[in-house]
Amino acid sequence: MIDLLDVLLLMLFATACAWLWRGHGIRERALALAKQHCAKLDVELLDGNVAFRRLALLRDSRGQRRVARIYGFEFTVTGEQRLSGTVSMYGRHLGSIELEPHPFQPPSPADDKVIQLDDWRRSQ
């Protein structure tokens, strides 16, 4: 016979499974956002993943406290150092992406499109 305690336990189990399933989708979204951010800043995302760090109460852009999932990841600029970064997610919405301070690599001189005036005059 099924009693009220069995129904309660089944509902708790279903709720936990749904929370974990939704968390997996949020993690995949955080990974995609971290990849986009690293590509935009011309740094390399290492290991191609993000890892759940913790749940926290953080202030959103409107100043209200909300539960945020914080994911961590590692990136590199030079290929020698592993630096860490975090992605804060409010549900499926991005809170913030923060990277450790890292060296900036200026573009190489070969990428410049500057033409010296003397060289141009000689060629013309």
Side-chain angles (χ1 to χ4, degrees):
M1 200 104 180
I2 297 177
D3 60 356
L4 193 56
L5 181 62
D6 293 336
V7 172
L8 179 66
L9 290 175
L10 182 63
M11 288 176 64
L12 285 175
F13 179 73
T15 302
C17 288
W19 188 77
L20 289 173
W21 183 271
R22 185 168 191 262
H24 179 70
I26 293 171
R27 188 191 74 78
E28 292 298 318
R29 178 139 166 81
L31 175 60
L33 291 168
K35 283 181 182 178
Q36 288 175 358
H37 191 72
C38 287
K40 183 171 60 172
L41 294 178
D42 199 27
V43 298
E44 183 180 352
L45 178 68
L46 295 175
D47 305 327
N49 68 7
V50 294
F52 177 75
R53 297 279 187 232
R54 64 189 169 101
L55 286 174
L57 282 174
L58 299 177
R59 293 193 186 275
D60 63 5
S61 60
R62 294 179 295 199
Q64 297 176 346
R65 288 193 175 266
R66 295 179 58 189
V67 175
R69 294 174 193 249
I70 299 175
Y71 295 93
F73 62 93
E74 292 184 331
F75 69 97
T76 186
V77 178
T78 62
E80 297 173 3
Q81 279 184 308
R82 293 178 82 93
L83 302 166
S84 64
T86 59
V87 178
S88 301
M89 299 291 293
Y90 299 115
R92 292 191 48 83
H93 302 285
L94 175 64
S96 65
I97 298 178
E98 297 176 1
L99 303 176
E100 270 187 30
H102 56 279
F104 173 74
Q105 288 189 339
S108 64
D111 293 341
D112 291 340
K113 304 254 187 234
V114 176
I115 300 172
Q116 297 296 327
L117 185 59
D118 293 337
D119 295 337
W120 181 80
R121 284 182 181 159
R122 273 186 244 129
S123 67
Q124 298 298 324

